[in-house]
Amino acid sequence: MEEFSRRRMLFASGALGAFGVLGAASSARARSLWTWSPNGSVAGRGAGLDPEWVWDEEADPVLAAVIERGDVPKANEALRKWTRNDQPLPSGLPADLRDFMEEARRMPSWADEKKLAAAAQFTKKKGIYTGALYGLGSGLMSTAIPREARAVYYSKGGADMKDRIAKTAQLGYDVGDLDAYQPQGGMVVTAVKTRMVHAAVRHLLPQSPGWSRTNGGQTIPISQADIMVTWHSLSTFVMRKLKDWKVPVSAAESDGFLHVWQVTAHMLGVQDEYIPASWDEAHAQSRQVLDPVLASTPEGVELTDVLLDIVAELDAGLTRPLINAFSRYTLGDRTGDLIGLGREPFWQPLIGAAWPLLVAFREGLIPRPLVPEAAWTVEEAIRRFVLLFLSEGRGIRLEIPDTNRPA
């Protein structure tokens, strides 16, 4: 996990989307209308409490104590040694943190090995699509989710977005890795570390004057509802767009992709009663918690510029107009306008016509001669984004923060 190799970049465009996992979204007014039934969850039952007012009662007091005692440097030094699912926890961890992590690393009893294997094969086969959707769809959508944009902007990671994206890329890679939840994989490690980061941010952000001025009345960030909003901006959004693009997905692949995200939600500390049991339930929940909350914020517009500037480093900005157009094609003009994406009169109609043909060619539905030559420029740009973005060989360390974004 410490090395961010080019081999991993097929999935690393999840960076932008996984950037969203730190935060999440929406207005209290929309959340007060929570009606989704826990009968549609993986638990099949539950108290039905509005997740807007539920956080992480296991992680939050432990991480608050670690921060207040000044134990964050000690904990982070120990955590650097923990990189594989099958490793014992490293020595040097504070006792209360160790006890929490031993419990948090346990897989849910309902995890299905066959479905997780199907998810890995699906991402291997469809990585060009999921990579583009995580990065240029979900990731940019996150800047149109007010709570998510503000949580990212005012937390410690908001001061160095490239470093922040490099770290959160780990989630996008590990979710799609062939060994994600296998002993030799790293997704358990990544999920537990991310869960601890969430808990630390819950303790720290209320101390941020900037966040407190713009939080819309939320007193504690990253509720269970917030995490599920981000979950839908990744899993549910991606599956919906794959259907829109007419990408063939078998029932086993679809079930596997849902399952790996169900397990991931659990490992991030989401209670099982809030995790949808099926795609129908996921789409129903998404319509309630994600769709109504998209809005523009100054923080979101600024973060969009930062993210696109990072993408532009691939070729000194030559493909930024193409990326703007592809993101608009993926997200729609309404979301594109909310986050300040430029309009591209040349690229937008070309992508709208070419991308469906590229998908059909890739899936063996039409011969190559029917794909216009200009379309290959689009594919090459997307391929470069998916394969090369942030492939600088820097080590990645998911670490517990002990402060907010400097003023």
Side-chain angles (χ1 to χ4, degrees):
M1 191 172 81
E2 297 296 328
E3 294 301 324
F4 198 44
S5 67
R6 287 172 66 101
R7 180 180 68 83
R8 296 186 169 188
M9 291 318 299
L10 179 61
F11 308 102
S13 59
L16 291 173
F19 142 114
V21 175
L22 173 68
S26 101
S27 68
R29 181 171 60 182
R31 286 288 161 65
S32 68
L33 302 178
W34 175 261
T35 60
W36 191 79
S37 171
N39 295 337
S41 70
V42 294
R45 62 187 185 279
L49 297 175
D50 186 342
E52 169 71 2
W53 307 106
V54 181
W55 292 272
D56 191 335
E57 62 183 19
E58 290 84 21
D60 291 352
V62 174
L63 271 297
V66 169
I67 293 169
E68 290 302 313
R69 291 197 306 262
D71 279 347
V72 170
K74 172 184 175 182
N76 283 333
E77 182 178 0
L79 288 172
R80 290 170 194 152
K81 305 170 188 174
W82 189 45
T83 59
R84 282 176 45 129
N85 298 337
D86 60 355
Q87 280 182 283
L89 295 180
S91 60
L93 289 169
D96 52 353
L97 189 63
R98 171 183 287 275
D99 291 345
F100 163 74
M101 292 173 63
E102 288 289 10
E103 183 67 26
R105 71 186 299 186
R106 294 182 183 177
M107 292 280 284
S109 60
W110 43 264
D112 186 316
E113 292 292 337
K114 290 183 178 179
K115 289 183 178 181
L116 292 174
Q121 291 301 320
F122 166 69
T123 307
K124 183 178 179 181
K125 290 166 57 179
K126 310 296 184 183
I128 186 68
Y129 310 125
T130 57
L133 285 168
Y134 283 148
L136 299 176
S138 305
L140 287 172
M141 182 194 297
S142 69
T143 66
I145 300 173
R147 285 190 183 174
E148 181 164 349
R150 287 164 177 153
V152 168
Y153 186 87
Y154 291 109
S155 63
K156 183 177 181 179
D160 184 351
M161 285 303 298
K162 189 156 193 178
D163 180 68
R164 169 63 183 280
I165 293 169
K167 290 176 180 177
T168 53
Q170 194 68 48
L171 185 83
Y173 166 72
D174 284 344
V175 165
D177 186 39
L178 295 178
D179 298 324
Y181 285 106
Q182 295 300 311
Q184 67 272 25
M187 189 57 210
V188 170
V189 174
T190 298
V192 172
K193 288 183 178 181
T194 301
R195 184 177 176 184
M196 293 192 294
V197 171
H198 288 177
V201 171
R202 287 190 200 98
H203 180 69
L204 292 167
L205 263 191
Q207 304 170 37
S208 163
W211 182 81
S212 298
R213 287 194 304 269
T214 61
N215 62 14
Q218 187 182 42
T219 56
I220 303 174
I222 318 179
S223 68
Q224 298 269 294
D226 290 334
I227 297 175
M228 288 310 298
V229 168
T230 298
W231 188 91
H232 287 297
S233 76
L234 292 158
S235 59
T236 311
F237 169 77
V238 166
M239 184 53 65
R240 185 171 71 242
K241 293 306 297 185
L242 291 175
K243 290 186 176 181
D244 289 348
W245 289 353
K246 297 181 172 55
V247 176
V249 179
S250 70
E253 290 169 339
S254 177
D255 289 347
F257 185 67
L258 174 63
H259 191 65
V260 76
W261 278 106
Q262 289 169 329
V263 172
T264 298
H266 175 96
M267 298 302 292
L268 289 170
V270 176
Q271 295 181 18
D272 287 355
E273 72 169 273
Y274 300 125
I275 304 173
S278 68
W279 281 120
D280 286 344
E281 291 291 348
H283 288 299
Q285 191 185 96
S286 179
R287 286 192 295 271
Q288 182 178 4
V289 302
L290 172 62
D291 297 355
V293 308
L294 300 179
S296 180
T297 63
E299 295 87 355
V301 171
E302 183 173 339
L303 289 174
T304 299
D305 276 341
V306 171
L307 295 174
L308 290 176
D309 284 345
I310 294 171
V311 174
E313 290 182 13
L314 291 175
D315 60 3
L318 296 178
T319 59
R320 175 156 176 173
L322 190 153
I323 296 300
N324 285 344
F326 187 84
S327 296
R328 275 190 175 272
Y329 174 72
T330 302
L331 295 171
D333 280 335
R334 175 176 175 265
T335 302
D337 290 342
L338 290 174
I339 62 177
L341 282 178
R343 290 182 177 267
E344 306 296 340
F346 172 77
W347 285 111
Q348 282 178 234
L350 189 150
I351 289 173
W355 188 252
L357 296 176
L358 283 168
V359 171
F361 168 75
R362 280 185 156 275
E363 300 303 324
L365 302 177
I366 63 170
R368 182 182 178 111
L370 295 181
V371 182
E373 191 62 32
W376 301 104
T377 303
V378 177
E379 182 180 64
E380 176 63 13
I382 300 303
R383 187 188 68 82
R384 282 169 55 84
F385 171 77
V386 174
L387 295 178
L388 302 177
F389 182 62
L390 287 176
S391 59
E392 298 180 341
R394 298 194 304 175
I396 297 175
R397 292 172 176 170
L398 296 176
E399 296 191 333
I400 301 166
D402 56 3
T403 186
N404 292 311
R405 177 177 182 150

